[in-house]
Amino acid sequence: MKFTAAQEFIAELLGTLVLILFGCGVVAMVVLFASTNPSIPGQIVNGGYTNITLGWGLAVLMGIFISGGISGAHLNPAVTLAMAVTGRFPWAKVPHYVLGQLLGAFLGAAIVFAVYYAKWQQFDPGFDQTAGVFATFPGVAGTFWPGMIDQIVGTALLVALILAIGDKLNNPVAAAWGPLAVAFVVMAIGMSFGGMHGYAINPARDFGPRLFALVAGFKNTGFENGVWLVPVIGPLIGGVLGALIYDSMIGKALLRADESARQLTNQQGVDPEYNIKH
């Protein structure tokens, strides 16, 4: 099936909007409903950071369900760029995909803010402590490279595993469980690499909501000190790196093996199982 650029744009917008609704929504639950006396993050909702990692994984799953049939559910400029660089995706589609992702993320953040506005007025009426509901920040204050390295590694893992899951030569039944597997990947990255810079691993997921926070009047958004650059540049580098590593070390080897198997099975007298036994 072929779809128009407008249809693909809307699919990426809605998929990313849903991603942010569930993702920033779970962070809002943990942050805004925290115990304040004593201060225990996430205590009232019980779960804290565990809720966040599970929530973001499920957010990705729901976003894929919404938009996967039309746009393939990239939901992430780092994924779109990596696909284009490796020849899996036409460069001509990159602009409207990325624009849809950024706009969807911005609108998703706006809806989360509207839903929780009354609680925000109680918890942080000056909007000077809770920009982290929308965006990511360094685990070591005042640093740049620790977070950058974290984002590169985390996004390289994300994209390499997305390609591995979707590679029919690597996982023949991936279509049946691929979305759930990708959700598990996001959960795993959050659990293993979530502390150094909030595991944005997605420029749209971070920049769109961060921009909304700035427009809505939040303070300490990260635009004033360059923090916003890390979860934009890092994932773009990491995504391409992860795709290139997968292709060079796994993907191309599988393609060569598949081509060899096809040649062997087309030769008279050659056992089709030869390539499996050898």
Side-chain angles (χ1 to χ4, degrees):
M1 292 184 290
K2 290 187 177 181
F3 299 97
T4 66
Q7 290 169 328
E8 291 168 341
F9 168 81
I10 292 297
E12 284 296 296
L13 187 154
L14 288 177
T16 311
L17 186 149
V18 167
L19 166 70
I20 297 301
L21 284 179
F22 284 107
C24 288
V26 71
V27 180
M29 281 289 293
V30 169
V31 172
L32 301 180
F33 291 88
S35 171
T36 56
N37 188 22
S39 179
I40 307 175
Q43 180 62 30
I44 293 179
V45 296
N46 293 322
Y49 186 69
T50 300
N51 276 22
I52 290 174
T53 56
L54 294 174
W56 273 109
L58 293 171
V60 169
L61 181 63
M62 301 308 162
I64 292 172
F65 283 157
I66 284 287
S67 62
I70 291 180
S71 69
H74 289 193
L75 314 182
N76 183 342
V79 172
T80 301
L81 178 63
M83 295 292 185
V85 167
T86 57
R88 292 177 169 86
F89 188 71
W91 282 100
K93 291 187 176 186
V94 170
H96 68 262
Y97 265 61
V98 172
L99 182 60
Q101 293 155 6
L102 290 170
L103 184 56
F106 184 94
L107 294 175
I111 295 171
V112 169
F113 181 65
V115 169
Y116 286 103
Y117 181 76
K119 184 63 179 177
W120 239 299
Q121 288 294 310
Q122 289 184 334
F123 188 85
D124 182 22
F127 301 150
D128 55 4
Q129 302 176 34
T130 50
V133 169
F134 299 109
T136 63
F137 293 87
V140 180
T143 63
F144 176 82
W145 284 110
M148 180 65 72
I149 294 169
D150 168 77
Q151 289 299 292
I152 292 172
V153 171
T155 315
L157 278 170
L158 173 69
V159 173
L161 286 165
I162 286 174
L163 295 182
I165 291 164
D167 190 340
K168 293 181 180 179
L169 296 177
N170 204 6
N171 291 290
V173 295
W177 64 284
L180 184 60
V182 173
F184 286 155
V185 169
V186 174
M187 291 180 193
I189 293 171
M191 292 173 181
S192 299
F193 296 98
M196 292 303 291
H197 212 290
Y199 80 107
I201 56 176
N202 180 341
R205 168 267 173 273
D206 194 89
F207 184 80
R210 193 189 299 270
L211 182 60
F212 169 78
L214 180 68
V215 171
F218 281 77
K219 303 176 182 67
N220 306 311
T221 59
F223 282 113
E224 66 279 356
N225 55 14
V227 165
W228 70 276
L229 290 169
V230 172
V232 172
I233 298 173
L236 293 175
I237 296 172
V240 172
L241 184 62
L244 293 176
I245 289 173
Y246 179 79
D247 280 350
S248 63
M249 297 185 178
I250 302 295
K252 289 182 179 179
L254 289 169
L255 281 173
R256 286 193 293 268
D258 184 61
E259 290 172 359
S260 298
R262 291 176 185 274
Q263 292 174 1
L264 286 170
T265 54
N266 289 331
Q267 295 178 25
Q268 185 176 5
V270 173
D271 184 351
E273 298 297 318
Y274 177 87
N275 63 303
I276 297 176
K277 297 176 182 177
H278 295 75

